[in-house]
């Protein structure tokens, strides 16, 4: 899954794809490089970020999604807002990716159930503005597993088919670096929930901390190492900025493992 943030303020690629023509070019390049899905987001959810209105979010993502879908690309929409999910699906998005696990907007779960689209349910606590203060765990893998199980049950109760759901522990969301590291080491615990796991480690703070690289865009090597480690521990989908490098690394990895 290639990341396409159509935002002015995302933590590593903010402002790069604000112009729709550049966004389309970047998305086509990701697919040519081997991405199966392009994840389009119009709201930064980095720690401490402020929310944008669904209207602003839609003005950013809908034209881009419409153009990408018309060109035959498989698009997911990265949003917490049901109105944006609806507008994105109407514009041709195929997948919903919600960092709140369909808990932020009370209308979201029913919408996804009715539209029968695949959905990524991610774990977080609070909102991007409050989540850092909620990163308190005794056993992070156990607690994230238990909280994701509740999110999964709610989605199933809303009528979403189990086979439409992928789960994501939310690396960096209400997790300090030590929590993200412990979660990746213990990813097998989340696999017991019985759904495919999506992991987003790309350029995140713990990668910077472990590699000693402060600038997010320069964390490519560390991101590749963390992504391969996540696959080794059971991840099925990697959400990444650097598609070509990730695809090359995965090809070498799979061939060596074969
Ligand atoms: N991470 C980000 C955004 N959306 N969705 C899923 N499922 N998993 C993630 O780990 C995830 C996500 C944050 O990264 P990014 O989009 O690069 O930055 P920003 O939120 O600043 O736009």
């Amino acid at each position: 899954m290639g990341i396409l943030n159509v935002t002015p303020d995302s933590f590593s690629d903010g402002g790069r794809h604000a112009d729709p023509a550049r966004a389309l070019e970047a998305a086509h390049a990701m697919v040519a490089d081997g991405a199966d899905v392009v994840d389009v987001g119009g709201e930064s959810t980095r720690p401490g970020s402020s929310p944008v209105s669904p209207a602003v979010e839609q003005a950013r993502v809908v034209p881009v999604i419409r153009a990408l879908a018309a060109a035959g690309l498989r698009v997911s929409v990265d949003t917490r807002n049901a109105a944006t999910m609806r507008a994105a699906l109407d514009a041709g998005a195929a997948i919903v990716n919600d960092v709140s696990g369909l808990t932020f907007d009370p209308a979201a779960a029913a919408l996804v159930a009715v539209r029968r689209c695949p959905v990524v349910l991610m774990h977080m606590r609070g909102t991007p503005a409050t989540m850092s203060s909620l990163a308190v765990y005794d056993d992070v893998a156990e607690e994230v597993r238990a909280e994701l199980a509740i999110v999964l049950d709610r989605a199933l109760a809303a009528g979403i088919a189990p086979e439409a759901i992928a789960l994501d522990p939310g690396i960096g969301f209400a997790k300090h670096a030590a929590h993200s590291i412990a979660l990746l080491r213990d990813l097998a615990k989340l696999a017991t929930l019985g759904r495919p796991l999506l992991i987003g480690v790309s350029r995140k703070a713990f990668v910077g901390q472990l590699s000693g690289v402060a600038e997010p865009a320069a964390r490519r090597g560390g991101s590749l190492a963390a992504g391969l480690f996540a696959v080794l521990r059971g991840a099925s989908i990697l959400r990444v900025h650097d598609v070509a490098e990730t695809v090359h690394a995965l090809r070498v990895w799979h061939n060596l493992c074969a």
Side-chain angles (χ1 to χ4, degrees):
M1 175 183 276
I3 302 170
L4 188 72
N5 286 316
V6 198
T7 55
D9 58 342
S10 286
F11 80 94
S12 93
D13 59 351
R16 281 197 59 214
H17 308 124
D19 167 22
R22 284 196 67 182
L24 299 184
E25 203 180 302
H28 281 286
M30 285 185 209
V31 171
D33 287 340
D36 292 318
V37 182
V38 177
D39 189 40
V40 181
E43 176 187 50
S44 174
T45 48
R46 71 189 186 288
S49 58
S50 321
V52 298
S53 73
V56 168
E57 187 185 33
Q58 285 162 44
R60 291 175 181 170
V61 301
V62 168
V64 173
I65 290 173
R66 186 171 291 118
L68 294 179
L73 272 59
R74 196 144 181 258
V75 177
S76 57
V77 61
D78 183 351
T79 183
R80 305 179 285 162
N81 297 306
T84 303
M85 291 173 195
R86 185 179 300 109
L89 293 169
D90 289 346
I95 301 168
V96 167
N97 172 28
D98 185 344
V99 297
S100 80
L102 301 177
T103 65
F104 177 75
D105 187 327
L111 174 77
V112 169
V114 167
R115 302 296 287 255
R116 296 177 181 274
C117 59
V119 62
V120 181
L121 304 177
M122 200 195 79
H123 174 271
M124 73 183 291
R125 288 176 176 175
T127 65
T130 63
M131 63 187 178
S132 294
S133 63
L134 301 171
V136 181
Y137 303 89
D138 288 324
D139 180 335
V140 66
E142 268 310 327
E143 288 167 59
V144 168
R145 202 200 88 90
E147 290 168 29
L148 259 184
I150 294 169
V151 166
L152 175 61
D153 283 348
R154 275 201 214 156
L156 296 173
I160 300 172
E163 58 273 16
I165 299 172
L167 298 174
D168 181 340
I171 298 299
F173 286 81
K175 283 111 194 157
H176 299 314
H179 300 132
S180 293
I181 294 163
L183 259 176
L184 288 171
R185 287 186 176 141
D186 240 354
L187 211 52
K189 276 199 180 135
L190 298 187
T192 62
L193 291 170
R195 302 308 315 143
L197 296 178
L198 183 151
I199 302 291
V201 291
S202 192
R203 302 184 183 176
K204 287 196 174 162
F206 86 93
V207 173
Q209 197 162 311
L210 292 181
S211 60
V213 178
E215 168 55 39
R219 294 177 184 157
R220 211 171 269 144
S223 301
L224 291 174
L228 289 183
F229 183 80
V231 172
L232 175 69
R233 288 288 204 260
S236 303
I237 306 163
L238 294 180
R239 180 181 181 276
V240 303
H241 298 89
D242 301 299
V243 172
E245 292 83 349
T246 305
V247 168
H248 298 164
L250 285 170
R251 275 189 201 140
V252 172
W253 169 271
H254 283 308
N255 277 288
L256 289 172
C257 292

